[in-house]
Amino acid sequence: MSLAEIKKKIETEAREEGGRILDKARSLVASINEEMNGEIKKIEQGYEDRFRKEQPEMLRRREIVAGLDVKKIELGVRQDTISAAFAGALSQLGSLQKDKYLDFVGSLLAKAVETGDEEVLVSESEKFVTSEWIAEYNAKTGKKLTLGKEKRPITGGFILKQGDIETNCSWDMLIRWIRDDIEADVVKRLFSA
């Protein structure tokens, strides 16, 4: 056999062997693809089954969260409404007619005064509690109260000061005290259907 024939025979055998290897590889790839497609379908089916089973629970949870969100919004609206009601009460205290305002301040002073020589602190915008009114109050009650020069950031009423001790009788504080006591009743009245 000549060298050319040997070369041709080796090439032919190599082509045949390469074809068999290639066919085997193609067959293996097709088998792997088929197996992978089967696995993909199993996984997809598993997720679909799981989703079908869990969907009602997921929807129930979403409803619960939505319900909580609605309740949170309702609570915020209720709190705003209650705050507005007490702010309205504070506004009404501030808009009392002079006689009623001073009568109320006088009754508060009668309850709050301890020694009779405290300093009465009022807000910058106070119109009715003046040095003259304090002098009249002192004459009627035998007290020695003085109107303090220091002004406080309150909406009305007063703060009694004796040394380092202060008694807050401002409208803000009175509304805060009353709110603690009657807020539950206000909620019932505002929101009972």
Side-chain angles (χ1 to χ4, degrees):
M1 230 190 234
S2 72
L3 188 60
E5 289 175 345
I6 294 173
K7 185 178 170 189
K8 193 174 187 179
K9 183 176 179 185
I10 291 173
E11 283 177 3
T12 303
E13 287 176 1
R15 277 194 198 107
E16 288 173 1
E17 185 63 26
R20 282 193 295 276
I21 292 172
L22 197 54
D23 288 342
K24 194 174 185 180
R26 285 185 185 132
S27 175
L28 186 59
V29 166
S31 172
I32 290 172
N33 280 339
E34 192 175 311
E35 190 177 320
M36 292 309 288
N37 287 335
E39 283 296 315
I40 289 170
K41 285 181 183 177
K42 281 182 189 176
I43 291 170
E44 285 175 348
Q45 190 62 45
Y47 280 120
E48 286 175 14
D49 291 345
R50 185 174 163 197
F51 178 73
R52 251 186 261 111
K53 287 177 187 174
E54 292 180 7
Q55 186 178 18
E57 179 64 19
M58 289 167 49
L59 293 175
R60 187 183 71 79
R61 287 182 194 158
R62 284 186 183 168
E63 284 180 26
I64 289 170
V65 170
L68 290 173
D69 287 344
V70 166
K71 285 182 181 181
K72 188 167 49 171
I73 291 168
E74 285 176 350
L75 179 61
V77 168
R78 286 181 178 196
Q79 287 173 336
D80 290 346
T81 302
I82 291 166
S83 293
F86 283 104
L90 185 62
S91 174
Q92 283 186 343
L93 277 173
S95 65
L96 286 174
Q97 293 177 353
K98 181 178 180 178
D99 293 341
K100 288 183 179 183
Y101 185 95
L102 290 174
D103 285 346
F104 189 48
V105 169
S107 66
L108 282 174
L109 277 172
K111 292 178 184 176
V113 169
E114 297 271 333
T115 63
D117 62 349
E118 289 95 341
E119 187 177 14
V120 179
L121 305 176
V122 294
S123 75
E124 191 73 45
S125 63
E126 179 59 55
K127 298 179 274 187
F128 305 129
V129 179
T130 61
S131 297
E132 294 80 21
W133 184 83
I134 296 273
E136 287 176 25
Y137 179 82
N138 287 338
K140 287 180 193 173
T141 61
K143 308 289 183 199
K144 297 178 187 172
L145 301 174
T146 57
L147 183 64
K149 296 193 186 321
E150 180 184 354
K151 302 298 180 188
R152 293 294 177 93
I154 57 177
T155 57
F158 58 90
I159 297 172
L160 278 180
K161 184 174 181 182
Q162 177 71 38
D164 290 338
I165 299 171
E166 293 185 356
T167 304
N168 190 340
C169 294
S170 67
W171 297 164
D172 308 281
M173 185 57 70
L174 293 175
I175 292 295
R176 198 171 309 137
W177 287 338
I178 290 170
R179 184 174 182 162
D180 290 342
D181 291 341
I182 68 169
E183 187 167 10
D185 187 45
V186 170
V187 168
K188 284 179 190 171
R189 289 176 186 231
L190 287 175
F191 302 110
S192 61

CSV table of all heavy atoms in Angstrom, one decimal, residues 1-44:
chain,number,residue,atom,x,y,z
A,1,MET,N,0.8,-1.2,0.0
A,1,MET,CA,0.0,0.0,0.0
A,1,MET,C,0.9,1.2,0.0
A,1,MET,O,1.9,1.3,0.7
A,1,MET,CB,-0.8,0.0,1.3
A,1,MET,CG,-2.2,0.2,1.0
A,1,MET,SD,-3.1,0.4,2.5
A,1,MET,CE,-4.3,-0.7,2.3
A,2,SER,N,0.4,2.1,-0.8
A,2,SER,CA,1.2,3.3,-1.0
A,2,SER,C,0.9,4.3,0.1
A,2,SER,O,-0.1,4.2,0.8
A,2,SER,CB,1.0,3.9,-2.4
A,2,SER,OG,-0.2,4.5,-2.4
A,3,LEU,N,1.7,5.2,0.2
A,3,LEU,CA,1.6,6.3,1.2
A,3,LEU,C,0.3,7.1,1.0
A,3,LEU,O,-0.5,7.4,2.0
A,3,LEU,CB,2.8,7.2,1.2
A,3,LEU,CG,2.9,8.2,2.3
A,3,LEU,CD1,2.9,7.6,3.7
A,3,LEU,CD2,4.1,9.1,2.1
A,4,ALA,N,-0.1,7.3,-0.2
A,4,ALA,CA,-1.3,8.1,-0.5
A,4,ALA,C,-2.5,7.3,-0.2
A,4,ALA,O,-3.5,7.8,0.3
A,4,ALA,CB,-1.3,8.4,-2.0
A,5,GLU,N,-2.4,5.9,-0.4
A,5,GLU,CA,-3.6,5.1,-0.1
A,5,GLU,C,-3.7,5.0,1.4
A,5,GLU,O,-4.9,5.0,2.0
A,5,GLU,CB,-3.4,3.7,-0.7
A,5,GLU,CG,-3.5,3.6,-2.1
A,5,GLU,CD,-3.2,2.3,-2.7
A,5,GLU,OE1,-2.6,1.4,-2.0
A,5,GLU,OE2,-3.6,2.0,-3.8
A,6,ILE,N,-2.6,4.9,2.1
A,6,ILE,CA,-2.7,4.8,3.6
A,6,ILE,C,-3.3,6.1,4.1
A,6,ILE,O,-4.1,6.1,5.1
A,6,ILE,CB,-1.3,4.6,4.2
A,6,ILE,CG1,-0.8,3.2,3.8
A,6,ILE,CG2,-1.3,4.8,5.7
A,6,ILE,CD1,0.6,2.9,4.2
A,7,LYS,N,-2.8,7.2,3.6
A,7,LYS,CA,-3.3,8.5,4.0
A,7,LYS,C,-4.8,8.6,3.7
A,7,LYS,O,-5.6,9.1,4.6
A,7,LYS,CB,-2.5,9.6,3.2
A,7,LYS,CG,-2.9,11.0,3.7
A,7,LYS,CD,-2.0,12.0,2.9
A,7,LYS,CE,-2.5,13.4,3.1
A,7,LYS,NZ,-2.0,14.4,2.3
A,8,LYS,N,-5.2,8.2,2.6
A,8,LYS,CA,-6.6,8.2,2.2
A,8,LYS,C,-7.5,7.4,3.2
A,8,LYS,O,-8.5,7.7,3.6
A,8,LYS,CB,-6.8,7.8,0.8
A,8,LYS,CG,-8.2,8.1,0.2
A,8,LYS,CD,-8.2,7.8,-1.3
A,8,LYS,CE,-9.5,8.3,-1.8
A,8,LYS,NZ,-9.6,8.0,-3.2
A,9,LYS,N,-6.9,6.1,3.5
A,9,LYS,CA,-7.6,5.2,4.4
A,9,LYS,C,-7.8,5.8,5.8
A,9,LYS,O,-8.8,5.8,6.4
A,9,LYS,CB,-6.9,3.9,4.5
A,9,LYS,CG,-7.6,2.9,5.3
A,9,LYS,CD,-6.9,1.6,5.3
A,9,LYS,CE,-7.6,0.6,6.1
A,9,LYS,NZ,-7.0,-0.7,6.3
A,10,ILE,N,-6.7,6.5,6.3
A,10,ILE,CA,-6.7,7.1,7.6
A,10,ILE,C,-7.7,8.3,7.6
A,10,ILE,O,-8.5,8.4,8.5
A,10,ILE,CB,-5.3,7.6,8.0
A,10,ILE,CG1,-4.4,6.4,8.3
A,10,ILE,CG2,-5.4,8.5,9.2
A,10,ILE,CD1,-3.0,6.8,8.5
A,11,GLU,N,-7.8,9.0,6.5
A,11,GLU,CA,-8.7,10.1,6.4
A,11,GLU,C,-10.1,9.6,6.4
A,11,GLU,O,-11.0,10.2,7.0
A,11,GLU,CB,-8.4,11.0,5.2
A,11,GLU,CG,-7.2,11.9,5.3
A,11,GLU,CD,-7.0,12.6,4.0
A,11,GLU,OE1,-7.7,12.5,3.0
A,11,GLU,OE2,-6.0,13.4,4.0
A,12,THR,N,-10.4,8.5,5.6
A,12,THR,CA,-11.7,7.9,5.5
A,12,THR,C,-12.1,7.4,6.9
A,12,THR,O,-13.3,7.7,7.4
A,12,THR,CB,-11.7,6.8,4.5
A,12,THR,OG1,-11.3,7.3,3.2
A,12,THR,CG2,-13.1,6.3,4.3
A,13,GLU,N,-11.2,6.7,7.6
A,13,GLU,CA,-11.6,6.1,8.9
A,13,GLU,C,-11.8,7.3,9.9
A,13,GLU,O,-12.7,7.2,10.7
A,13,GLU,CB,-10.4,5.2,9.4
A,13,GLU,CG,-10.4,3.9,8.7
A,13,GLU,CD,-9.2,3.0,9.1
A,13,GLU,OE1,-8.4,3.5,10.0
A,13,GLU,OE2,-9.1,1.9,8.5
A,14,ALA,N,-11.0,8.3,9.8
A,14,ALA,CA,-11.1,9.5,10.7
A,14,ALA,C,-12.5,10.2,10.4
A,14,ALA,O,-13.2,10.6,11.4
A,14,ALA,CB,-10.0,10.5,10.5
A,15,ARG,N,-12.9,10.3,9.2
A,15,ARG,CA,-14.2,10.9,8.9
A,15,ARG,C,-15.3,10.1,9.4
A,15,ARG,O,-16.3,10.6,10.0
A,15,ARG,CB,-14.3,11.1,7.3
A,15,ARG,CG,-13.7,12.3,6.8
A,15,ARG,CD,-14.1,12.6,5.4
A,15,ARG,NE,-13.2,13.5,4.8
A,15,ARG,CZ,-12.2,13.2,3.9
A,15,ARG,NH1,-12.2,12.1,3.4
A,15,ARG,NH2,-11.4,14.2,3.5
A,16,GLU,N,-15.2,8.8,9.2
A,16,GLU,CA,-16.2,7.9,9.7
A,16,GLU,C,-16.3,7.9,11.2
A,16,GLU,O,-17.4,8.0,11.8
A,16,GLU,CB,-15.9,6.4,9.2
A,16,GLU,CG,-16.2,6.2,7.8
A,16,GLU,CD,-15.7,4.8,7.3
A,16,GLU,OE1,-15.2,4.0,8.1
A,16,GLU,OE2,-15.9,4.6,6.1
A,17,GLU,N,-15.1,7.9,11.9
A,17,GLU,CA,-15.1,8.0,13.3
A,17,GLU,C,-15.6,9.3,13.8
A,17,GLU,O,-16.4,9.4,14.8
A,17,GLU,CB,-13.7,7.8,13.8
A,17,GLU,CG,-13.5,7.7,15.3
A,17,GLU,CD,-14.2,6.5,16.0
A,17,GLU,OE1,-14.5,5.5,15.3
A,17,GLU,OE2,-14.6,6.7,17.2
A,18,GLY,N,-15.2,10.4,13.1
A,18,GLY,CA,-15.7,11.8,13.4
A,18,GLY,C,-17.2,11.8,13.3
A,18,GLY,O,-17.9,12.5,14.1
A,19,GLY,N,-17.7,11.2,12.2
A,19,GLY,CA,-19.2,11.2,11.9
A,19,GLY,C,-19.9,10.5,13.1
A,19,GLY,O,-21.0,10.9,13.5
A,20,ARG,N,-19.3,9.3,13.5
A,20,ARG,CA,-19.9,8.5,14.6
A,20,ARG,C,-19.9,9.3,15.9
A,20,ARG,O,-20.9,9.4,16.6
A,20,ARG,CB,-19.2,7.2,14.7
A,20,ARG,CG,-19.6,6.2,13.7
A,20,ARG,CD,-19.1,4.8,14.1
A,20,ARG,NE,-17.6,4.7,14.2
A,20,ARG,CZ,-16.8,4.4,13.1
A,20,ARG,NH1,-17.3,4.2,11.9
A,20,ARG,NH2,-15.5,4.3,13.3
A,21,ILE,N,-18.8,10.0,16.2
A,21,ILE,CA,-18.7,10.8,17.4
A,21,ILE,C,-19.6,12.0,17.3
A,21,ILE,O,-20.3,12.2,18.3
A,21,ILE,CB,-17.2,11.3,17.6
A,21,ILE,CG1,-16.3,10.1,17.9
A,21,ILE,CG2,-17.1,12.4,18.7
A,21,ILE,CD1,-14.8,10.5,17.9
A,22,LEU,N,-19.7,12.6,16.2
A,22,LEU,CA,-20.7,13.7,16.0
A,22,LEU,C,-22.1,13.3,16.1
A,22,LEU,O,-22.9,13.9,16.8
A,22,LEU,CB,-20.4,14.4,14.6
A,22,LEU,CG,-21.0,15.8,14.4
A,22,LEU,CD1,-20.5,16.7,15.4
A,22,LEU,CD2,-20.6,16.3,13.0
A,23,ASP,N,-22.4,12.1,15.5
A,23,ASP,CA,-23.8,11.6,15.7
A,23,ASP,C,-24.1,11.2,17.1
A,23,ASP,O,-25.2,11.5,17.6
A,23,ASP,CB,-24.0,10.3,14.8
A,23,ASP,CG,-24.0,10.6,13.3
A,23,ASP,OD1,-24.3,11.8,13.0
A,23,ASP,OD2,-23.8,9.7,12.5
A,24,LYS,N,-23.1,10.6,17.8
A,24,LYS,CA,-23.3,10.3,19.2
A,24,LYS,C,-23.5,11.6,20.0
A,24,LYS,O,-24.3,11.6,20.9
A,24,LYS,CB,-22.1,9.5,19.7
A,24,LYS,CG,-22.2,8.8,21.0
A,24,LYS,CD,-21.0,8.0,21.3
A,24,LYS,CE,-21.2,7.2,22.5
A,24,LYS,NZ,-20.0,6.4,22.8
A,25,ALA,N,-22.7,12.6,19.7
A,25,ALA,CA,-22.8,13.9,20.4
A,25,ALA,C,-24.2,14.5,20.2
A,25,ALA,O,-24.8,15.0,21.1
A,25,ALA,CB,-21.7,14.8,20.0
A,26,ARG,N,-24.6,14.5,18.9
A,26,ARG,CA,-25.9,15.0,18.6
A,26,ARG,C,-27.0,14.3,19.3
A,26,ARG,O,-28.0,14.9,19.8
A,26,ARG,CB,-26.2,15.0,17.1
A,26,ARG,CG,-25.4,16.0,16.3
A,26,ARG,CD,-25.7,16.0,14.8
A,26,ARG,NE,-24.9,17.0,14.1
A,26,ARG,CZ,-24.2,16.7,13.0
A,26,ARG,NH1,-24.3,15.5,12.5
A,26,ARG,NH2,-23.5,17.6,12.5
A,27,SER,N,-26.9,13.0,19.4
A,27,SER,CA,-27.9,12.1,20.0
A,27,SER,C,-27.9,12.5,21.5
A,27,SER,O,-28.9,12.6,22.2
A,27,SER,CB,-27.5,10.7,19.8
A,27,SER,OG,-28.4,9.8,20.6
A,28,LEU,N,-26.7,12.6,22.1
A,28,LEU,CA,-26.5,13.0,23.5
A,28,LEU,C,-27.1,14.4,23.8
A,28,LEU,O,-27.9,14.6,24.8
A,28,LEU,CB,-25.0,13.0,23.9
A,28,LEU,CG,-24.7,13.2,25.4
A,28,LEU,CD1,-25.4,12.1,26.3
A,28,LEU,CD2,-23.2,13.1,25.6
A,29,VAL,N,-26.9,15.4,22.9
A,29,VAL,CA,-27.4,16.7,23.0
A,29,VAL,C,-29.0,16.6,23.0
A,29,VAL,O,-29.7,17.3,23.8
A,29,VAL,CB,-26.9,17.7,22.0
A,29,VAL,CG1,-27.7,18.9,21.9
A,29,VAL,CG2,-25.4,18.0,22.2
A,30,ALA,N,-29.5,15.9,22.0
A,30,ALA,CA,-30.9,15.7,21.9
A,30,ALA,C,-31.5,15.1,23.1
A,30,ALA,O,-32.6,15.5,23.7
A,30,ALA,CB,-31.3,14.9,20.7
A,31,SER,N,-30.8,14.1,23.7
A,31,SER,CA,-31.3,13.4,24.9
A,31,SER,C,-31.3,14.4,26.1
A,31,SER,O,-32.2,14.5,26.9
A,31,SER,CB,-30.4,12.2,25.2
A,31,SER,OG,-30.7,11.7,26.4
A,32,ILE,N,-30.2,15.2,26.2
A,32,ILE,CA,-30.0,16.1,27.3
A,32,ILE,C,-31.1,17.2,27.1
A,32,ILE,O,-31.8,17.6,28.1
A,32,ILE,CB,-28.6,16.8,27.3
A,32,ILE,CG1,-27.6,15.7,27.7
A,32,ILE,CG2,-28.6,18.0,28.2
A,32,ILE,CD1,-26.2,16.2,27.6
A,33,ASN,N,-31.3,17.7,25.9
A,33,ASN,CA,-32.4,18.7,25.7
A,33,ASN,C,-33.8,18.2,26.1
A,33,ASN,O,-34.6,18.9,26.7
A,33,ASN,CB,-32.4,19.2,24.2
A,33,ASN,CG,-31.3,20.2,23.9
A,33,ASN,OD1,-30.8,20.8,24.8
A,33,ASN,ND2,-31.0,20.3,22.6
A,34,GLU,N,-34.0,16.9,25.7
A,34,GLU,CA,-35.3,16.3,26.0
A,34,GLU,C,-35.4,16.2,27.5
A,34,GLU,O,-36.5,16.5,28.1
A,34,GLU,CB,-35.4,14.9,25.3
A,34,GLU,CG,-36.8,14.3,25.4
A,34,GLU,CD,-36.8,13.0,24.6
A,34,GLU,OE1,-36.4,13.0,23.5
A,34,GLU,OE2,-37.3,12.0,25.2
A,35,GLU,N,-34.4,15.7,28.2
A,35,GLU,CA,-34.4,15.6,29.6
A,35,GLU,C,-34.6,17.0,30.3
A,35,GLU,O,-35.4,17.1,31.3
A,35,GLU,CB,-33.1,15.0,30.1
A,35,GLU,CG,-33.1,14.5,31.5
A,35,GLU,CD,-31.8,13.8,31.9
A,35,GLU,OE1,-31.3,13.0,31.1
A,35,GLU,OE2,-31.3,14.1,33.0
A,36,MET,N,-33.9,18.0,29.8
A,36,MET,CA,-34.0,19.3,30.4
A,36,MET,C,-35.4,19.9,30.2
A,36,MET,O,-35.9,20.5,31.1
A,36,MET,CB,-32.9,20.3,29.8
A,36,MET,CG,-31.5,19.9,30.1
A,36,MET,SD,-31.2,19.7,31.9
A,36,MET,CE,-31.4,21.4,32.4
A,37,ASN,N,-35.9,19.7,29.0
A,37,ASN,CA,-37.3,20.2,28.7
A,37,ASN,C,-38.3,19.5,29.7
A,37,ASN,O,-39.2,20.1,30.2
A,37,ASN,CB,-37.7,19.9,27.3
A,37,ASN,CG,-37.0,20.9,26.3
A,37,ASN,OD1,-36.6,22.0,26.7
A,37,ASN,ND2,-36.8,20.4,25.1
A,38,GLY,N,-38.0,18.2,29.9
A,38,GLY,CA,-38.9,17.5,30.9
A,38,GLY,C,-38.8,18.1,32.3
A,38,GLY,O,-39.7,18.3,33.0
A,39,GLU,N,-37.5,18.4,32.7
A,39,GLU,CA,-37.3,19.0,34.0
A,39,GLU,C,-37.9,20.4,34.1
A,39,GLU,O,-38.5,20.8,35.1
A,39,GLU,CB,-35.8,19.1,34.3
A,39,GLU,CG,-35.1,17.8,34.7
A,39,GLU,CD,-35.6,17.3,36.0
A,39,GLU,OE1,-35.8,18.1,37.0
A,39,GLU,OE2,-35.9,16.1,36.0
A,40,ILE,N,-37.7,21.2,33.0
A,40,ILE,CA,-38.3,22.5,33.0
A,40,ILE,C,-39.8,22.4,33.1
A,40,ILE,O,-40.5,23.2,33.9
A,40,ILE,CB,-37.9,23.3,31.7
A,40,ILE,CG1,-36.5,23.6,31.7
A,40,ILE,CG2,-38.8,24.5,31.4
A,40,ILE,CD1,-35.9,24.2,30.4
A,41,LYS,N,-40.5,21.5,32.4
A,41,LYS,CA,-41.9,21.3,32.5
A,41,LYS,C,-42.3,20.9,33.9
A,41,LYS,O,-43.3,21.4,34.5
A,41,LYS,CB,-42.4,20.3,31.5
A,41,LYS,CG,-42.5,20.8,30.1
A,41,LYS,CD,-43.0,19.8,29.1
A,41,LYS,CE,-42.9,20.4,27.7
A,41,LYS,NZ,-43.4,19.4,26.7
A,42,LYS,N,-41.5,20.0,34.6
A,42,LYS,CA,-41.8,19.6,35.9
A,42,LYS,C,-41.7,20.8,36.9
A,42,LYS,O,-42.6,21.0,37.7
A,42,LYS,CB,-40.8,18.5,36.4
A,42,LYS,CG,-41.1,17.2,35.9
A,42,LYS,CD,-40.1,16.2,36.5
A,42,LYS,CE,-40.2,14.8,35.8
A,42,LYS,NZ,-39.1,13.9,36.3
A,43,ILE,N,-40.7,21.6,36.7
A,43,ILE,CA,-40.5,22.8,37.6
A,43,ILE,C,-41.6,23.8,37.4
A,43,ILE,O,-42.2,24.3,38.3
A,43,ILE,CB,-39.1,23.5,37.3
A,43,ILE,CG1,-38.0,22.5,37.8
A,43,ILE,CG2,-39.0,24.8,38.0
A,43,ILE,CD1,-36.6,23.0,37.4
A,44,GLU,N,-42.0,24.1,36.1
A,44,GLU,CA,-43.1,25.0,35.8
A,44,GLU,C,-44.4,24.4,36.4
A,44,GLU,O,-45.1,25.2,37.0
A,44,GLU,CB,-43.2,25.1,34.3
A,44,GLU,CG,-42.2,26.0,33.6
A,44,GLU,CD,-42.3,26.1,32.1
A,44,GLU,OE1,-43.1,25.2,31.5
A,44,GLU,OE2,-41.7,26.9,31.5
